[in-house]
Amino acid sequence: MKLLKNLLILAISLGLSANALAQNYPDRPITLIVPFAAGGPTDVVARSLAQSMGSDLKQPIVVDNAGGAGGTIGSKKAADAQADGYTLLLMHIGMATAPSLYKKLLFDPLKSYEYIGLTVDVPMTLLGKAALPPNNLNELLPYIKQNASKMNVAHAGIGSASHLCGLLFMSTIQQDIQTIAYRGTGPAMTGLLAGEVDLLCDQTTNTTAQIQSGKVKTYGISSPRRSTTLPNVPTLDEAGLKGFQLGVWHGLYAPKGTPKPIIDRLLRALQAGLKDPAFVKRMEELGARVVSEKEATPDALRNKLQSEINLWSPIIQKAGVYAD
């Protein structure tokens, strides 16, 4: 009986401590870990979101680029951080593919974090180097069949969004193409612009400027409907790849054990940040879709993560692609 009473007192005191902590939270800058290099698509989203959320929280949110190993290094860093609300993680679809890609993953996407919510969904664009002969998807597909042994597709590293898009593209057209790995999204785009590689499938946050400048061949966008930013670019579905849709969703996480009152405060800041006109305008310029308030919730992120793990696991296993 005495033990039960002591446990009850402890639980109440811990609850009061968590609430007191949340009332003063945040009282110093917050670190937002981006597990990719500066200047990449996820980094662009993170810096815009950090500014909008920081305004609501009345504290700066400082981006920490901890890239490497397809985002797993930064994700592990966030999982190991103190669960006090001062370290967050913005990670894309790679959170769902990591369990299949990495045999020795040092964190568990479903158990190592508290979920805050989804943020933006970014479509992919299938691009070719300027000198590539095909001018549209109808010309590209037979060209690939005839020249597959001589062609290649770039990506930003195993597990990157561009790598996943390339795998899905090859699976859809049932044709293997040599893949060329670069150390990040920026170098992969540089390789395409220089004509070192033939194809690249990457997020609109990294490709819109190049498409608008006419420096690359553009074969389609992976969204269900055309982008208002790129109205002349057909969807890959309407261009001929029926059912080809791929959105690179981004979720906001905190280390496991972060007190619920703090998660609730971060959730309010997230939803306010997603409605910030400056943030919305910036995402529209990049062709990204800002999620609805219903999607920017812990439950929505948790459900999305689980469903995407189930979706990508058989695709990756069939491709036989694994990272160290």
Side-chain angles (χ1 to χ4, degrees):
M1 191 70 178
K2 184 177 180 181
L3 176 60
L4 181 61
K5 181 179 179 181
N6 289 337
L7 289 174
L8 181 61
I9 293 173
L10 177 61
I12 293 173
S13 65
L14 287 174
L16 291 174
S17 298
N19 287 325
L21 181 65
Q23 288 175 3
N24 297 322
Y25 174 85
D27 60 8
R28 63 180 188 273
I30 297 168
T31 296
L32 175 59
I33 293 177
V34 175
F36 302 101
T42 301
D43 181 66
V44 171
V45 172
R47 291 180 186 277
S48 297
L49 184 62
Q51 186 171 356
S52 297
M53 285 184 63
S55 296
D56 184 81
L57 291 166
K58 302 296 188 295
Q59 287 288 343
I61 298 179
V62 181
V63 172
D64 174 16
N65 294 100
T72 60
I73 291 176
S75 297
K76 175 68 164 56
K77 182 178 180 180
D80 291 343
Q82 189 170 348
D84 57 5
Y86 289 96
T87 301
L88 307 177
L89 170 69
L90 186 74
M91 179 57 170
H92 65 28
I93 189 174
M95 186 67 85
T97 59
S100 299
L101 284 169
Y102 293 86
K103 296 180 179 179
K104 295 181 180 179
L105 196 62
L106 298 179
F107 61 92
D108 186 333
L110 294 171
K111 297 179 180 179
S112 299
Y113 306 96
E114 301 293 343
Y115 306 101
I116 301 172
L118 290 161
T119 59
V120 300
D121 196 343
V122 185
M124 308 292 285
T125 46
L126 180 62
L127 309 178
K129 64 183 181 182
L132 202 65
N135 293 308
N136 55 56
L137 191 69
N138 285 333
E139 295 177 2
L140 177 65
L141 297 182
Y143 182 85
I144 291 176
K145 294 289 185 182
Q146 296 166 9
N147 300 277
S149 63
K150 298 180 289 184
M151 293 191 68
N152 52 50
V153 55
H155 65 79
I158 291 178
S160 65
S162 53
H163 181 226
L164 298 174
C165 189
L167 289 179
L168 186 59
F169 176 66
M170 288 187 284
S171 174
T172 301
I173 67 173
Q174 297 183 340
Q175 181 65 63
D176 290 332
I177 310 170
Q178 182 185 7
T179 60
I180 306 295
Y182 284 83
R183 295 177 65 84
T185 300
M189 176 59 76
T190 299
L192 184 72
L193 294 172
E196 297 172 354
V197 289
D198 299 308
L199 300 170
L200 172 66
C201 188
D202 206 355
Q203 301 174 64
T204 55
T205 42
N206 188 53
T207 63
T208 296
Q210 308 298 347
I211 292 171
Q212 292 175 335
S213 70
K215 294 180 179 180
V216 294
K217 293 282 181 74
T218 308
Y219 298 112
I221 189 168
S222 68
S223 53
R225 59 189 64 84
R226 293 197 183 197
S227 166
T228 56
T229 307
L230 301 167
N232 296 324
V233 177
T235 69
L236 287 166
D237 181 271
E238 68 178 309
L241 283 181
K242 295 303 179 184
F244 192 102
Q245 294 181 12
L246 174 60
V248 180
W249 52 273
H250 295 69
L252 188 64
Y253 306 82
K256 189 69 176 180
T258 301
K260 187 177 184 303
I262 289 180
I263 296 295
D264 291 342
R265 179 66 186 97
L266 288 166
L267 176 59
R268 293 198 302 273
L270 171 62
Q271 295 191 343
L274 295 180
K275 295 175 184 175
D276 179 2
F279 178 77
V280 173
K281 181 180 178 182
R282 178 59 175 150
M283 293 302 103
E284 287 178 347
E285 291 172 349
L286 297 170
R289 179 184 72 89
V290 178
V291 304
S292 66
E293 185 172 309
K294 184 178 180 180
E295 294 171 285
T297 63
D299 284 345
L301 176 54
R302 182 185 299 106
N303 293 337
K304 181 72 169 180
L305 178 59
Q306 182 65 76
S307 66
E308 290 281 299
I309 289 174
N310 296 339
L311 170 68
W312 282 101
S313 178
I315 293 175
I316 293 171
Q317 288 177 2
K318 183 178 180 180
V321 179
Y322 300 100
D324 294 332

